[in-house]
Amino acid sequence: MIKKILDKTLLPLFAFLLALFVGGLVIGFTDNKVLAKISSPIEFLKILGSTVGNAYLALFQGAIYDPNLAEGKSFMAGFYPLSETMVATAPLILCGLSVALAFKSGLFNIGAQGQFIFGAVGASYIGFKYEMPMVMHIMVATLAGLILAALWGGIVGLLKAKTGAHEVIVTIMLNYIAAKFLLFLLSTQYFLRPGRLDPIAPSVKETAKLPSLFGVDYRVNIGIFIALAAAVFIWWLLNRSIIGFRFRAVGANSSAARTAGISVSAAMIATMAISGALAGMGGAIHTLGNQYELTDTVAATFGFDAITVALLGRGTPLGVVLASFLFAGLRVGGQTMQANVGVPVEIVLVIQALVVLFIAAPDLVKRIFKLRNLQEASAMASKGWNG
Amino acid sequence: MKNKTTMSRESKRKLNGIYSMAIASIFSIVVFAYLPKVSGDVTYSFVLDKEWVLIQQWVIDSRVGAYGFSALSVLFTALAYYLFRKGKKHGIAIFGFSIGFFMAFLCWASAGDFVPFTGLLQGGLILAVPLIYGSLAGLVCERSGVINIAIEGQLLGSAFVAGVVGSLLQNAWYGLLVAPFAGALISVLLAVFAIKYRIDQVILGFVINVLVIGLTSFAAQRFLREDSEKWNESPILQPINIPILYKLPIIGPMFFSQTIIIYLLYVIIIVTQIALFKSKWGLRMRSVGELPVAAESVGIDVNKVRFRNVIIAGAIAGFGGAYFTVGSVGAFSREMTAGMGFIALAALIFGRWTPLGALSAALVFGFADQLRSVLSIAGTPIPSAFMMMVPYIATIIAVSGFVGRVRAPAADGIPYQRGGSH
Amino acid sequence: MSLELRGITKQFGSLVANDDINFKVEAGEIHAILGENGAGKSTLMNIVYGLLAPDKGQILVDGQEIKIKSPLDALAAGIGMVHQHFMLIPVFTVAENIVLGHEKTNRAGLLDLATAREEIIRVSKEFNFEVDPDALIEDLPVGIQQRVEIIRALIYNSKILILDEPTAVLTPQETDELLANMKKLRDSGRSIVFITHKLREVKAVADRISIIRRGKVVGTVQPSASQEEMASLMVGRPVDLTVNKADGKPGKTILEMVDLNVLDTTGRALASKINLTVSAGEVVAVAGVQGNGQSELAEAIVGLREHLTGSIKLSGNELIGRSVDECLKAGIAYVPESRELDGLISSFSITENLILDTHGEAPYSKGIFYKPAMAHQVALERIKEFDIRAQSANDPASSLSGGNKQKVVLARELSRPVELVVVCQPTRGLDVGSIEFVHQRLISERDSGRAVLLFSTELDEVFALADRIAIMYRGEIIAIVPATASREEVGLYMAGIRTATAKGGAA
Ligand SMILES: Nc1ncnc2c1ncn2[C@@H]1O[C@H](COP(=O)(O)OP(=O)(O)O)[C@@H](O)[C@H]1O
Ligand SMILES: [Mg+2]
């Protein structure tokens, strides 16, 4: 049992360490203070170590616990960064689940970004336009976003099922279309905040805002629980429902699934609609819980981070939750790192890319760490454009 | 027996194309000419030379123009059908139809306005340059059997390196010179992980893009901002006039008074088009992209061919990347390629993995983008956001088979391992 | 030239595909290698041709040891090969395929195809091959594609020719032509290694016969040896491939197809004017050379094909227009042609595979809830009943051997309440033990009153099991004959020749 868990976590762990190491080298070797000492090896290593160490410490403080914040206040106050990480984690989990679910059905959903946008659009519109009682407003707004995003995602499944159009190409294109469409919406009278020219919608009404968990000082809200609930639901769907059985069958061998009487088209369309709904829910809770107002950059990079999250999490709901937390922490902590020690936050992107690269190439990690019995990653088989 | 089927499938595809042309022509008559309640004068201006003095203007009523040009597209549709029936190629008729349709659209869209016609063409061509480089890079890669989603990263990385080197040495030519190496370097990453570690190429390309965006943005933040005079003020390549040709009206300034990057592009287009179908290099490239075991069985080292071509592809993308910095503005800015790599991928797919197809698609996308900026100044019935969607929508239509099936090379994206298949 | 192999050994993981193989073919000799599916024949030849590297052993040409690291070395040594799976690029022309790897270029650096065209025409003439150098491979029938491979070997001037199961894709007539050409090539002084698992062909052309079993050479015999002797060497025990069965007792009509046409998306008929009935308690075999519409017909019956006209009735109920799921539930068991591709999901557990088409029914599910524990329980019963050799029901199907995989498919399909059993190539690639199991099981299904429709390209299998035989040619059933018909007659039908002797004909 322990061995099994170890097997599963060892590769991601080593991949992450390796990525941190390479990221550290990038930080160190681009630092003038470090480079100045390059002639004396001992000094050089010392300052290299301290520079990188300080950067990662700042990152940790920005993501989890900052003693400086606790000073003079309660111990708990130092956890403010953690609350911010949770804020970023919630939408990421939902987007990550969106990609992960599609993986299980054999589809590579690069379109979480666009689906997220539609989720945000739907939630925002209901949120600022209508008056409703508290709980109901949240539910209706979320549902609106979810439905829009499910339709947007469903298009992909429909095209794939009916015409064989490769979902990767379609979702890449749909992401751009969604982004341009959002820009268009925000220039219309329906969405543009009165008196503004830049693309921004009115703020959602108080009744539509997600209740926060720890009072006004912290932004963290029930969104994180919604996301966790969604993860549990997806686990159930995949492993304990016949719908999930079909999804997995289609994902593993669509031709055998079809021969056994499973409708591949239906599975694809349903998968993409549910995937879309998940990412859309991410967009909705991000809008209703964190942003409150729709802008052209509302989706930030959630949809793209979701792909790295799903890959790092190996497509399982639990993995997605953990990976989301990790990457959200990197993102949030990265801001502090940039502010405190001047290391640009973009290093986080580099680390993120490297983690996924190493995860995808287990042979490389095995070779570097001389691991033998590491469980093979259930590597996403390359199917190619025609597959 | 089978021969006949494939023939008929091909002609069915062509026939569908002609039907679409007919529908588009009718659409053009109704929407561009008949429906508009008011008409206005459209002023087309032509710059005959680089000097702005030689301006010719042509004024036409928008409704009259729309009717006229729609009629032209109807005519060419008929011609296409006639040629098709005769069993002849009807590429010219498609071209004529496109011009008619496009001009009718323009009349409608800019009623009462001023259209800088030459500027439109020239701007479109310029916008297409990085797209063409990108799609050719994708082509060489994918024809060899390696999916290239990393075009964006290749363009961005080489744009960065070209800009920085050009700035440090204060010479744009050095920037241009190193750009293909930068592109090739990114390709090495693609090649090693795709071919040696055989990881999913879509994931890989995606990750490489993130990595390059991360690295270039990190470096831009760290160096280029702080000391931009040293790091980020590259001179740019100057246009070179091709003797005699550059004096031709309209086409002269458009095609023959450009920077070296564009002349290089002409060469690369012609070479890839011919080499792909008529040379040993092209034959081997296509063989490893279609059925690698068969290539191996006649003694071709599949992975070596793939590796080499992926690197070449990176170098081609490198020139396209150089265009962003030393070829146009000089300075590098974060994520300056802004998704062009993906439009290049779209052009490649829309162009059915052929050089001329990719070229045409890239030009169409370039013109669409230029048209958008021209029309958004003029103020048009179509929101500019929708004009920006053109390449993406076109690609979805293409891969959905609405204009006939597009088929990627059969082994595109499938890693090859010796003795592994069967 | 002569080719000699000494001590060739090759392992795939723990599987020893070739175990210390010694073998020699002399100049001007046809040396057949005979062995069951999976015996290691292709592996051995791929080693000789440089596509696989041996773990141990030597290759000698004319007594000289040579190192073959890639097909280039093999070709240089005069070894040519016609592969079991053709090594031709479908979108290339014949000429392009032939120059690939040996391209000549002109001064401008462009391909010179003219010489290749001339060569192709020259060799074609010599052997009456009629191959157009500018035809696209994908437009050519398999028989012609095979000729292209032979032409390629001859143009490369191969003195040693390896033919890996060349007859598997041919009609009996084409097979005869090929065998004649092989003799012609031998008489021109070339050495030929002829791989097959069909005894009859071996006896017709071979000068010597080596028999491989489980990666080992178990004997070399003369063509005068009896079929029984060769068969028992091949399998390792005396075999009797005749299936013990009583005459069928056909009951009421179960499956009735009337004027059925199966079309592709462009409207072309893949199978046309099919009229066939199968009754309870009988086995009807559809024979024919691969690719004559049998697969499409089978798929049509279970709803896997979309464009159909005519009628398919199961016990009087129309099936056309129903989904696969509905067809299966109406009472059809379906064993698809390819276990790996269509029959099983190799990454799924044996349990999951055993309930693949019943997962939505009790006791495995309730509403939309899936109940893995119940599935596991039932799986254990099936594993016992069908004698599936597996470590655990939770192991992935990919861990099973070919025969056990097929048993999983059979266990799943035959355990459902069905009236009709549609089986396609049920023993392809199986060892003799598994073949016997499958055959016995199909006969007992028949005897229990089910209707069995068997699609098979193996005439031996057809004659062993069938009560009636329908022969398909170019999408049509050109004859239906009783099981007592002669092999020759069925062979002629398979080649599309409608003989006058055909009685009981295509009703
Ligand atoms: N590349 C491979 N990897 C693993 N096993 C293989 C491979 N190629 C063949 N085998 C196995 O080796 C055995 C011999 O295969 P093969 O030589 O193709 O047999 P034959 O041609 O005699 O039917 C089979 O069990 C087959 O599954
Ligand atoms: Mg074989």
Side-chain angles (χ1 to χ4, degrees), chain A residues 236-263, chain C residues 304-305 324-325 328 334 336 340-348 352 355-357 359-360 365 367-370 372:
Chain A
W236 172 84
L237 184 79
L238 280 172
N239 297 294
R240 289 290 182 275
S241 82
I242 60 171
I243 300 168
F245 185 95
R246 288 177 191 161
F247 285 3
R248 286 187 294 122
V250 169
N253 180 345
S254 61
S255 148
R258 193 169 103 90
T259 307
I262 296 170
S263 167
Chain C
L304 282 163
R305 287 266 157 194
V324 181
D325 195 39
L328 296 178
Y334 179 57
E340 315 279 344
L341 251 45
D342 301 324
L344 293 169
I345 297 181
S346 44
S347 61
F348 269 30
E352 287 171 316
I355 60 159
L356 210 51
D357 48 13
H359 65 272
S365 68
I368 63 164
F369 290 85
Y370 167 52

Side-chain angles (χ1 to χ4, degrees), chain C residues 86 115 179 188 196 213 230 267 282 311 337 360 410 419 436:
Chain C
F86 297 149
T115 348
L179 298 184
S188 69
T196 184
R213 172 166 24 105
M230 289 191 235
E282 84 168 334
S311 145
E337 194 172 308
L410 284 171
E419 293 176 299
E436 285 168 340

Side-chain angles (χ1 to χ4, degrees), chain C residues 318-331:
Chain C
E318 183 59 54
L319 291 182
I320 289 184
R322 296 207 201 176
S323 70
V324 181
D325 195 39
E326 287 163 343
C327 289
L328 296 178
K329 296 231 165 80

Side-chain angles (χ1 to χ4, degrees), chain B residues 26-270:
Chain B
I26 295 167
F27 176 87
S28 164
I29 294 173
V30 174
V31 175
F32 300 150
Y34 178 72
L35 284 184
K37 293 204 176 63
V38 287
S39 66
D41 283 348
V42 187
T43 311
Y44 289 97
S45 74
F46 298 86
V47 182
L48 296 190
D49 198 349
K50 269 194 143 167
E51 322 309 327
W52 279 87
V53 262
L54 268 169
I55 292 183
Q56 293 263 324
Q57 292 203 338
W58 180 51
V59 184
I60 187 171
D61 178 69
S62 66
R63 191 189 302 271
V64 175
Y67 269 123
F69 285 116
S70 301
L72 196 69
S73 47
V74 171
L75 220 70
F76 274 110
T77 307
L79 178 68
Y81 188 75
Y82 172 78
L83 289 175
F84 170 76
R85 279 284 155 221
K86 286 260 153 172
K88 290 186 186 142
K89 292 196 170 170
H90 58 274
I92 295 187
I94 296 179
F95 187 68
F97 158 83
S98 314
I99 289 183
F101 182 82
F102 171 73
M103 290 300 293
F105 166 78
L106 214 52
C107 284
W108 167 73
S110 44
D113 277 315
F114 173 85
V115 181
F117 197 76
T118 19
L120 187 62
L121 293 187
Q122 196 155 0
L125 177 71
I126 291 297
L127 280 172
V129 168
L131 296 182
I132 302 170
Y133 272 116
S135 57
L136 289 177
L139 181 124
V140 171
C141 224
E142 303 212 348
R143 280 283 186 166
S144 310
V146 178
I147 288 180
N148 191 356
I149 300 265
I151 303 173
E152 177 80 1
Q154 292 168 329
L155 290 176
L156 185 63
S158 44
F160 174 83
V161 172
V164 167
V165 169
S167 175
L168 286 176
L169 302 176
Q170 280 303 306
N171 185 335
W173 285 88
Y174 286 113
L176 178 65
L177 202 70
V178 293
F181 290 97
L185 197 69
I186 297 169
S187 262
V188 170
L189 208 59
L190 179 63
V192 168
F193 281 92
I195 297 168
K196 178 149 191 259
Y197 291 105
R198 304 202 311 268
I199 77 179
D200 184 282
Q201 292 162 15
V202 173
I203 294 177
L204 177 59
F206 179 81
V207 167
I208 289 178
N209 288 335
V210 175
L211 188 66
V212 174
I213 290 174
L215 282 174
T216 52
S217 304
F218 177 83
Q221 186 77 10
R222 210 158 217 202
F223 301 109
L224 308 197
R225 256 173 57 138
E226 280 171 17
D227 191 358
S228 79
E229 214 162 296
K230 177 179 167 199
W231 291 91
N232 204 18
E233 279 182 14
S234 172
I236 57 173
L237 294 164
Q238 296 303 321
I240 303 167
N241 292 335
I242 304 270
I244 305 167
L245 291 177
Y246 84 103
K247 290 211 166 124
L248 293 171
I250 304 182
I251 15 181
M254 211 156 100
F255 292 108
F256 302 111
S257 178
Q258 297 281 13
T259 64
I260 180 78
I261 295 190
I262 284 148
Y263 298 136
L264 256 173
L265 182 60
Y266 300 159
V267 176
I268 294 180
I269 292 168
I270 295 169

